Amino acid sequence: MSQTVVVLGTQWGDEGKGKIVDLLTEQADAVIRFQGGHNAGHTLIINDQKTVLHLIPSGILRAGVQCIIGNGVVIEPTSLIKEIKQLEDTGVSIRDRLLISQAAPIIMPYHIKLDQLREAGKGDGAIGTTGRGIGPAYEDKVARRGLRMGDLCDKDSLRDKLQEVLHYHNFVLENYHRDQPLDFDAVYADICAQADILQPMIEDVTEHVHELKSADKKLLLEGAQGSLLDIDHGTYPFVTSSNTTAGSAATGSGLGCTDIDYVLGITKAYTTRVGSGPFPTELFDDDGEKLAKEGVEFGATTGRPRRCGWLDLVALKRAIQVNGVTGLCITKLDVLDSFKHIKLCTSYEQSSGFPQSAAQWQAIKPVYKTMSGWQSTTRGITDYDDLPNEARELVNFIEEFTRTPVAIISTGPERNENVIKAHPMAN
Ligand code: GDP
Ligand code: IMO
Ligand code: MG
């Protein structure tokens, strides 16, 4: 019996993690976010009603489930408070079941400003970040000068720390970027007001998750972004600034590596990417447009159109390795319903090993296996035997190629539109 399950993306994000976390939360006692920040946009659709979550774990729409933001997450207080209030406005209780790690780094206004100034300065070479200050906040964490949520509990020491770090960032803003400095009094007043709201939810999350483990509670760990956006294993430098892979579920929550029983890797039945960077199977033809249209591929956080292409099994295999994926979940199978032929990338031409640099990514060419489409609707199918033969052949091929079992197939955006072959929490 798996007590502790990690759910993460195996591509460049937006694989449908939110939907699957919400689904599995039916069996869970607590859901923990362990990395990323409000660059994430996780969509839940329940009875036609859409909720997009950015920082709050995707278990929040299941009454009574505890939701935890771990130390690996960078938190922008204004956004978190806005998200709490928006959910409360729809009648969801939050403050009695949301816990925030005292060790989570805070995204401050200067981080957002720096992110946006740098991107603007890069012109065509921009990474295409979400402009949310994610990178600069993680830099401050690693540089050991960042503010953390625990600092909100002592305003005098917060004042001193802010003074020092703002002095540094204002120097960079004025002298490197030739921009306006931020006013200390205004920044301090804002963070103090936010502290008053958030303080009651801040605690030692590591202690708490181990109490839950000791009480035999079932835990879900929710990843953000995807494995190819990982700071170490992704398509560097076109990546995010955190480790998005499974090891982060331990370091970003306070659990030990051996506490994790199962890693569920989510992959779309095709591929999308938001922002710049390598994407070998990207399509610029009618098929690409059709994927975008049928899959409604627009970013949940920034609204940007997502780049679309065929499923890349070479990249998926790599993601399975670096995460130690136990089982796969294939989402958006229904998006392929009307395709006559479906392609899967099975190798890269002109590559010696997995590409490591942007130049190596550019030099490779995808080699495809073409499979027959099914040209009938799979939307909402819940029984594996009801899937068309061609769809089952696609699933079998993915399993054989990756040597990894497919545990779940998602056949629509609604909570209950899934084929569950093997429930990750039940074996
Ligand atoms: P996340 O960031 O990984 O949580 O994914 P997003 O929420 O950003 O993007 C996934 C999108 O696909 C959302 O709009 C979901 O509602 C939608 N979605 C998820 N699973 C399915 C599916 O099986 N079929 C279809 N058609 N849409 C899905
Ligand atoms: P979810 O959790 C898709 C991308 C950005 C950009 C790069 C760096 O919804 O899957 P950042 O703001 O993190 O410094 O941007 O990473 N990116 C995502 N793409 N889904 C996400 O989150 C993403 N979060 C960041 O588009 O290319
Ligand atoms: Mg998303």
Side-chain angles (χ1 to χ4, degrees), residues 16-95:
K17 299 174 291 293
K19 181 203 148 155
I20 300 301
V21 169
D22 169 66
L23 168 75
L24 298 182
T25 302
E26 194 178 12
Q27 312 269 335
D29 297 296
V31 182
I32 309 159
R33 266 283 303 271
F34 54 85
Q35 48 71 230
H38 66 315
N39 48 350
H42 296 180
T43 314
L44 279 50
I45 300 188
I46 299 158
N47 299 328
D48 250 353
Q49 198 180 326
K50 178 167 158 174
T51 306
V52 181
L53 299 166
H54 301 284
L55 276 167
I56 294 182
S58 298
I60 201 74
L61 297 189
R62 301 267 188 187
V65 168
Q66 196 154 60
C67 287
I68 301 174
I69 301 180
N71 59 279
V73 177
V74 282
I75 300 175
E76 204 281 293
T78 322
S79 301
L80 179 56
I81 292 165
K82 192 171 142 203
E83 206 171 322
I84 292 171
K85 289 189 174 158
Q86 275 174 352
L87 283 164
E88 282 177 341
D89 285 348
T90 66
V92 182
S93 81
I94 308 282
R95 295 176 212 224

Side-chain angles (χ1 to χ4, degrees), residues 207-256:
E207 181 72 29
H208 191 82
V209 292
H210 285 282
E211 278 166 16
L212 290 171
K213 283 293 287 182
S214 304
D216 266 349
K217 299 292 182 193
K218 289 194 167 190
L219 310 183
L220 267 179
L221 290 134
E222 176 179 7
Q225 290 80 56
S227 305
L228 296 167
L229 288 170
D230 183 281
I231 184 75
D232 290 296
H233 299 287
T235 47
Y236 190 89
F238 299 97
V239 292
T240 191
S241 296
S242 65
N243 283 113
T244 58
T245 40
S248 262
T251 54
S253 71
L255 284 172

Side-chain angles (χ1 to χ4, degrees), residues 250-318:
T251 54
S253 71
L255 284 172
C257 283
T258 49
D259 289 326
I260 293 165
D261 301 308
Y262 190 111
V263 178
L264 183 69
I266 318 270
T267 175
K268 278 178 182 165
Y270 51 100
T271 309
T272 63
R273 173 163 205 171
V274 201
S276 323
F279 182 177
T281 62
E282 183 169 15
L283 292 169
F284 301 95
D285 58 6
D286 291 351
D287 283 342
E289 262 177 48
K290 199 158 137 181
L291 285 172
K293 187 167 164 275
E294 302 289 326
V296 200
E297 295 297 352
F298 292 93
T301 294
T302 57
R304 290 179 289 176
R306 294 173 181 152
R307 300 155 64 192
C308 296
W310 298 118
L311 181 58
D312 184 341
L313 292 176
V314 181
L316 180 60
K317 239 179 165 170
R318 182 67 169 222

Side-chain angles (χ1 to χ4, degrees), residues 189-425:
D190 283 350
I191 194 74
C192 285
Q194 291 155 355
D196 292 339
I197 298 170
L198 296 175
Q199 201 181 327
M201 291 171 267
I202 298 171
E203 69 162 79
D204 179 355
V205 159
T206 300
E207 181 72 29
H208 191 82
V209 292
H210 285 282
E211 278 166 16
L212 290 171
K213 283 293 287 182
S214 304
D216 266 349
K217 299 292 182 193
K218 289 194 167 190
L219 310 183
L220 267 179
L221 290 134
E222 176 179 7
Q225 290 80 56
S227 305
L228 296 167
L229 288 170
D230 183 281
I231 184 75
D232 290 296
H233 299 287
T235 47
Y236 190 89
F238 299 97
V239 292
T240 191
S241 296
S242 65
N243 283 113
T244 58
T245 40
S248 262
T251 54
S253 71
L255 284 172
C257 283
T258 49
D259 289 326
I260 293 165
D261 301 308
Y262 190 111
V263 178
L264 183 69
I266 318 270
T267 175
K268 278 178 182 165
Y270 51 100
T271 309
T272 63
R273 173 163 205 171
V274 201
S276 323
F279 182 177
T281 62
E282 183 169 15
L283 292 169
F284 301 95
D285 58 6
D286 291 351
D287 283 342
E289 262 177 48
K290 199 158 137 181
L291 285 172
K293 187 167 164 275
E294 302 289 326
V296 200
E297 295 297 352
F298 292 93
T301 294
T302 57
R304 290 179 289 176
R306 294 173 181 152
R307 300 155 64 192
C308 296
W310 298 118
L311 181 58
D312 184 341
L313 292 176
V314 181
L316 180 60
K317 239 179 165 170
R318 182 67 169 222
I320 289 170
Q321 289 173 331
V322 296
N323 288 297
V325 166
T326 319
L328 287 169
C329 166
I330 301 174
T331 57
K332 304 191 94 161
L333 186 78
D334 56 297
V335 172
L336 300 180
D337 280 352
S338 62
F339 282 82
K340 201 166 175 193
H341 298 289
I342 293 158
K343 290 188 183 179
L344 302 144
C345 169
T346 52
S347 63
Y348 296 155
E349 220 171 78
Q350 270 137 43
S351 87
S352 51
F354 197 74
Q356 295 300 311
S357 66
Q360 284 172 359
W361 276 106
Q362 221 157 32
I364 58 121
K365 270 203 186 121
V367 178
Y368 292 105
K369 174 184 172 68
T370 303
M371 297 187 74
S372 299
W374 43 93
Q375 297 190 281
S376 62
T377 182
T378 60
R379 176 75 195 259
I381 288 181
T382 53
D383 196 333
Y384 188 67
D385 294 333
D386 290 343
L387 287 176
N389 280 341
E390 294 83 353
R392 278 183 278 148
E393 275 164 24
L394 182 82
V395 172
N396 287 342
F397 184 75
I398 295 170
E399 284 187 324
E400 276 164 24
F401 189 92
T402 60
R403 297 179 185 198
T404 310
V406 171
I408 301 174
I409 301 156
S410 172
T411 55
E414 281 276 349
R415 180 186 262 179
N416 56 5
E417 292 179 314
N418 311 284
V419 173
I420 302 180
K421 287 182 75 190
H423 199 294
M425 304 195 90

Side-chain angles (χ1 to χ4, degrees), residues 113-168:
K113 213 168 166 182
L114 282 166
D115 190 1
Q116 294 174 358
L117 283 167
R118 283 186 199 159
E119 282 285 280
K122 281 191 176 139
D124 285 349
I127 292 167
T129 71
T130 58
R132 302 286 201 267
I134 306 295
Y138 277 118
E139 285 168 34
D140 269 8
K141 163 181 165 169
V142 176
R144 297 169 289 193
R145 65 172 163 250
L147 301 175
R148 311 205 296 178
M149 292 305 286
D151 290 322
L152 301 185
C153 304
D154 179 348
K155 287 185 184 146
D156 286 335
S157 114
L158 174 67
R159 167 187 282 273
D160 296 343
K161 288 180 184 172
L162 178 64
Q163 229 145 18
E164 202 178 318
V165 71
L166 187 61
H167 178 74
Y168 170 81

